[in-house]
Structure formats: structure tokens, C-alpha cells
Amino acid sequence: MVRREATAPLLANEDPRDSFDEDERALLAEEQKAKQQKPAPKPRNVIMMISDGFGPASQTYGRSYWQYQNNFTESALTSLDHILVGASRTRSSNSLVTDSAAGATAFSCAMKSYNAAIGVDPSGAPCGTVLEAAKEKDMLTGLVVTSRVTHATPAAFSAHVVHRDMEDLIAQQQIGDYELGRRVDLMLGGGRCFFLPNTTEGSCRTDNRNLIEESQEKHGWKDVLLNRRQFDEKLTNGKILGLPTMGLFHLGHMNFEIDRQPSEEPALHEMAQAALDSLKVHSTKADKGFFLMIEGSRIDMGAHNNDPVAHVHEILEYHRTIALVREFVANNPDTVMISTSDHETGGFTLGLQPDPHTYPDYLWRPEVIERASASTEILTKNLFLFQGKHRRAFVRDEILAKGLGIKDPTEEEIEFLADSEAEPGDILVFLGHAISRRANLGWTTIGHTGVDVNLYADAAEESVSGQQGVKTLRGNHENTDIGKFMTEYLDLDLAPITERLIK
């Protein structure tokens, strides 16, 4: 045994004060070589799916209607049923009943905040989000929704304002006009009106800023797609979108799935597929991971309208999207997907007993829903715009019979709807209740409720880290636990992002 010679090369794992012989030093060299050759961990991906306003009863409803439509037995399971792992508690910092802004902020910042808060804490100070931290780590990021992209859920991942109605400012931050610069690589949905100057027809802005031009001239956005044709054209070669790309396919929210014209707007599952394919190709080339948030936004809006027709078709489209995301996860072992809701909407029930003096009819009638061909939103608009002389006939034939499949209207129903002084909001809910009663479905509110919502998760069977992640999500969780899980799985640090935003 000899003392280390000062002139001998020092190994990385060797202390110069140590005594050693040549055999021991050879072992140290082998250890050092093994560490250097150890492959770096593969980049990880997280796909966060949010079914806005989708409670447990809505999943039962969607499954039952799907079984009916396809003549399946009651044992048939939807794409969601296979991956149920637990439940999420939805309250915000200031209420048992949350709104979408606080609900999404719980996911994005892993923090409870007040109703209407967008990416800010209970004091109104900005909080760093999972999306922003992922971008800081040089990952790719995406948002896919059917609402306005400036609406509460996508905004809470990509902007910081004290109230959700500040959509002018949200849009500015989403294109990159704020302290952190551009953080979103792919953003698909509706809400074009908040990106257009107020001198443009259809604009929702209060100023004359043209954010579409600014996004490309100042913040490096490669493409801004405004319609289905442009979307399809960009996907022609290899089905990959260049990054960064923004798709704003409607002035406001995209249409309900039952009303959507395929030649004009892509469906949620089509946008999700394009996003997955594009992010995979670009992230693989750069050896990066990605974070993608996909929202079935209008599930919630169908429930706000107490419209069982729009509601169920949004659920079925969400199921289609879940199926393709699960296929992606199965083929990409370093990917975890989570699906949950920010809250339940409508106090929806499968079963209705309106008359306490009669024995309840424990049935639901899916054929009633199947006969409808339009949402109550579209039918209300059509009725409001009707200027003809024969309003009662229009109500009976076009709105009720053709639109909702109701061929046995009562005199009271026709009389109410034929009243040209009736408020659109009242008509909207009236139509929803008219078809719900006939299907034996019930609603307790046109707002949100405070019930727990289902929590789903999936990872490839061979993915050890993914399966461990899914296991941690089992059971009943606070909504903030989902944000914490994503942060830990992607090894993100939100604190430095928060500090930069506050400065």
C-alpha cells in the first residue's frame, strides 16, 4: 500500500489523501467509466386531459347512451372506464363549489386559489405553472381545447390575471407578451375574437392590437391557422404541424360536436391527434419531452344549458379522444396521461321523479336523446332570429319536432316558446328541460356543484416510472395533488418561475 503520488492523474472518485494499491485504483477507474457510460434518462411526457364539468353521473350517462347506440350489453366499458384510479376533491380556496379558473389553477400551479383566479395565488400574485416550468426545462408545450383558448382552463396554464374575464390580457400573454416570453408551442381551439383588433368585425378586444400579426412578427409564431382548410393543408405533408403554431378555428367557442360542420371546424380528437403527432416528432428530434393539456371544454357548457343532447355528444367525443391518447401512451412508454374534471356541472341525475304523488318510473329513455339533431343553443338562436308570421308552427315543426325530436308538445310548451318576448336564456333552459323530462333525466342547477369527480390515469405496461405514477394517483385526492404529481413526474421546479413573475 502506498500514498498517492502527487504527479499521478487524479480519478473523479478518488481522494488524494487515500492510500491505495494498483488493483484498487483499477477498480476506481472502472467505476468511473461505468458512470460515464450510463445512459441519461429518457425525456418524459405528460398529457393532462380535463373534462370540464364532467361528473360521475355524466360518465354513467355517456356509457349508457354509447351502449344503447351500439347495441352493446351493460358490461361494455368505455375508453375511460378501463383507467379509473380514484377521485379528485374540487373545492377552491374560498368555496366548496369551485369555478373552472380556480379548478385549473389547482392543476397548473399545484395550489388552491379563489374562484375566478387565473394562474395567481389567493393574494392575486402570479404562480408559476407546470406548462411554464416545462418550457423552462426546454420541453415542448401544447394546449388543445374546444372553448376559446383564452377561456379559464387553458388560460390558467398559460397566463396570470386576477380575474378570468380579462381575456384581452390573457391572449397577449399566450402569444408571448409578458415576463417569460412565449411559453406555448402549440395552441388549438377557438377564441379568435380576442386576437383581432377592435376595428375588425367580430373582435372582442377593447383596443386595436392585432395579436395575430404580433404573434408572428414579434414572438416567432410560425403559423396561425384560422379554418379547417388551413388546418388540413398544414397536415398534408407527414401530418405534422410546424412549431410554434396557433389554430383559432372560431371567433368564440368552437361549436358543440352535434352542431359542428366537419368542413369548417376540426373535432377535438382530430386536434388532439395532430398535437400528439407533431409534439412527438419535434420532441424526438430534439431529444426533449413535452407537456400537453387537452380539454373537452364544452362538456361543461352543455351541462350549464341543462342540455342532455349537447352534453352527451361532447362526452362521446371526449371518449374518442381518450381512446387515441391511450393508444399513444401505450406506444410511448415514457408518457403518462391523467384525466379528470375541474368540477361537476348541472347537478345532473339519471332518474327523474317530478310528481311526488305518483310511483316513480325508474327508467331512462335513450331513444328520446337519439331523436334530437341539434343543441338547445342552436335552436334558441334560430328561434330568437325568427321573424316570420307563423311562429307557433315554427316552434312546433322546426324547433321541437325537427330539432329536438319532440312530436308530442304540450300547449303550454308551444305557448311559452311562441312568445316573442321570452328571454333567450329562459328559452335555452326550457328546451333542455323539455327533452330531459321525456328522457327521465334531471338537473338541479345551471351552475356547478361541489361533488368529487372521477380521476383516471394511464401509462404503458412496460413503463416502470409510469406505472408507479399511476399507482400514486389511486384513491381520493385534492385537486392540487394532480399538479404536484405532474411537477414531480417531469422533475419541474415551479418556484423560480413564480419568483421571475413576481419580480
Side-chain angles (χ1 to χ4, degrees), residues 214-354:
E214 287 186 32
S215 70
Q216 295 179 297
E217 295 173 1
K218 297 182 180 180
H219 303 287
W221 289 82
K222 177 181 176 63
D223 292 307
V224 180
L225 314 177
L226 305 180
N227 53 51
R228 177 60 186 257
R229 177 183 58 79
Q230 293 177 353
F231 178 74
D232 289 342
E233 286 176 353
K234 289 297 178 181
L235 289 174
T236 299
N237 298 321
K239 298 184 178 180
I240 302 302
L241 296 172
L243 298 181
T245 286
M246 190 186 327
L248 303 171
F249 302 113
H250 199 286
L251 282 170
H253 300 309
M254 297 179 72
N255 279 299
F256 281 119
E257 180 61 21
I258 192 171
D259 302 323
R260 181 180 65 87
Q261 296 299 317
S263 62
E264 297 176 7
E265 299 173 78
L268 178 65
H269 79 272
E270 294 173 313
M271 293 190 292
Q273 187 69 70
L276 289 169
D277 292 341
S278 302
L279 290 173
K280 178 183 168 92
V281 168
H282 290 291
S283 64
T284 300
K285 286 181 180 178
D287 196 27
K288 303 175 182 178
F290 67 79
F291 170 79
L292 173 62
M293 191 282 288
I294 302 172
E295 184 190 32
S297 318
R298 304 218 67 193
I299 296 172
D300 170 68
M301 298 173 197
H304 273 296
N305 297 345
N306 288 184
D307 178 357
V309 178
H311 190 55
V312 78
H313 284 278
E314 292 302 307
I315 294 168
L316 296 179
E317 176 60 17
Y318 190 74
H319 285 171
R320 284 188 283 271
T321 307
I322 286 285
L324 69 86
V325 172
R326 288 191 63 206
E327 182 178 357
F328 181 91
V329 168
N331 294 320
N332 294 271
D334 300 298
T335 304
V336 167
M337 67 159 286
I338 307 115
S339 175
T340 193
S341 307
D342 45 0
H343 54 76
E344 193 273 348
T345 301
F348 181 60
T349 63
L350 281 87
L352 178 68
Q353 185 187 356

Side-chain angles (χ1 to χ4, degrees), residues 62-374:
R63 181 197 310 117
S64 299
Y65 186 72
W66 170 76
Q67 290 168 343
Y68 166 79
Q69 272 195 319
N70 294 280
N71 199 29
F72 293 152
T73 67
E74 66 275 7
S75 62
L77 298 178
T78 70
S79 54
L80 270 178
D81 291 317
H82 292 281
I83 57 173
L84 178 66
V85 295
S88 171
R89 304 190 293 274
T90 62
R91 71 171 304 144
S92 66
S93 69
N94 67 336
S95 177
L96 175 65
V97 182
T98 189
D99 79 334
S100 293
T105 296
F107 301 144
S108 67
C109 290
M111 175 189 297
K112 296 277 188 185
S113 197
Y114 59 90
N115 287 355
I118 296 292
V120 296
D121 68 18
S123 72
C127 52
T129 72
V130 172
L131 182 146
E132 292 169 328
K135 191 63 181 174
E136 187 71 10
K137 197 177 176 181
D138 209 24
M139 297 172 66
L140 296 177
T141 63
L143 300 169
V144 175
V145 301
T146 51
S147 66
R148 297 188 298 269
V149 295
T150 52
H151 209 237
T153 302
F157 286 86
S158 55
H160 308 273
V161 294
V162 295
H163 197 284
R164 59 184 292 171
D165 287 345
M166 302 168 70
E167 292 186 61
D168 276 23
L169 184 54
I170 290 168
Q172 292 167 207
Q173 293 183 30
Q174 287 177 326
I175 67 169
D177 184 12
Y178 77 127
E179 293 82 352
L180 303 180
R182 183 183 59 77
R183 294 275 130 167
V184 186
D185 294 302
L186 184 62
M187 185 163 64
L188 305 176
R192 188 165 66 248
C193 71
F194 281 103
F195 294 80
L196 299 174
N198 62 4
T199 53
T200 304
E201 184 178 357
S203 171
C204 301
R205 294 194 65 79
T206 56
D207 58 33
N208 64 356
R209 291 183 64 175
N210 187 330
L211 297 191
I212 292 176
E213 288 185 358
E214 287 186 32
S215 70
Q216 295 179 297
E217 295 173 1
K218 297 182 180 180
H219 303 287
W221 289 82
K222 177 181 176 63
D223 292 307
V224 180
L225 314 177
L226 305 180
N227 53 51
R228 177 60 186 257
R229 177 183 58 79
Q230 293 177 353
F231 178 74
D232 289 342
E233 286 176 353
K234 289 297 178 181
L235 289 174
T236 299
N237 298 321
K239 298 184 178 180
I240 302 302
L241 296 172
L243 298 181
T245 286
M246 190 186 327
L248 303 171
F249 302 113
H250 199 286
L251 282 170
H253 300 309
M254 297 179 72
N255 279 299
F256 281 119
E257 180 61 21
I258 192 171
D259 302 323
R260 181 180 65 87
Q261 296 299 317
S263 62
E264 297 176 7
E265 299 173 78
L268 178 65
H269 79 272
E270 294 173 313
M271 293 190 292
Q273 187 69 70
L276 289 169
D277 292 341
S278 302
L279 290 173
K280 178 183 168 92
V281 168
H282 290 291
S283 64
T284 300
K285 286 181 180 178
D287 196 27
K288 303 175 182 178
F290 67 79
F291 170 79
L292 173 62
M293 191 282 288
I294 302 172
E295 184 190 32
S297 318
R298 304 218 67 193
I299 296 172
D300 170 68
M301 298 173 197
H304 273 296
N305 297 345
N306 288 184
D307 178 357
V309 178
H311 190 55
V312 78
H313 284 278
E314 292 302 307
I315 294 168
L316 296 179
E317 176 60 17
Y318 190 74
H319 285 171
R320 284 188 283 271
T321 307
I322 286 285
L324 69 86
V325 172
R326 288 191 63 206
E327 182 178 357
F328 181 91
V329 168
N331 294 320
N332 294 271
D334 300 298
T335 304
V336 167
M337 67 159 286
I338 307 115
S339 175
T340 193
S341 307
D342 45 0
H343 54 76
E344 193 273 348
T345 301
F348 181 60
T349 63
L350 281 87
L352 178 68
Q353 185 187 356
D355 186 350
H357 303 293
T358 61
Y359 187 78
D361 185 8
Y362 290 126
L363 296 172
W364 93 278
R365 299 180 173 86
E367 68 277 6
V368 172
I369 304 301
E370 187 177 42
R371 288 194 292 263
S373 62

